[in-house]
Amino acid sequence: MTQVINTEVNVNSFYFRGRHGMKTFPRQIEWDNNFITFGEEVGLRYLIHRGKELVQLFDMNGADGLTYRLRQEGNRWTLVGTL
């Protein structure tokens, strides 16, 4: 079941993956006074170009068993929802 959230969140830490370790992924977010941690072995990153603007979407598996979709636009992070 999908839950739409669309709330701005803080990303507390990141990890690096990919060739030469240059792809960044969120490691932990703070949402509604709770901390949600994601594992390094899981996570998908989508790059979307809108004109000159770059938007990144992340589908991350949380330690609680839920999959979270995050959107990054510049320095702003939004928890889109759970999948």
Side-chain angles (χ1 to χ4, degrees), residues 1-32:
M1 178 175 198
T2 301
Q3 179 185 5
V4 177
I5 299 170
N6 281 328
T7 302
E8 194 165 331
V9 296
N10 293 319
V11 177
N12 298 332
S13 61
F14 297 89
Y15 68 91
F16 300 91
R17 197 168 82 181
R19 187 175 167 147
H20 306 293
M22 298 302 289
K23 293 180 184 177
T24 59
F25 290 82
R27 159 71 83 182
Q28 184 182 71
I29 63 170
E30 183 179 357
W31 169 54
D32 198 27

Side-chain angles (χ1 to χ4, degrees), residues 15 26-29 36-40 42 60-63 68 70:
Y15 68 91
R27 159 71 83 182
Q28 184 182 71
I29 63 170
I36 300 168
T37 303
F38 309 114
E40 285 188 27
V42 292
M60 305 298 297
N61 290 338
Y68 296 85
L70 298 159

Side-chain angles (χ1 to χ4, degrees), residues 72-83:
Q72 180 190 20
E73 296 179 75
N75 291 327
R76 183 177 170 201
W77 286 85
T78 302
L79 176 56
V80 177
T82 58
L83 306 176

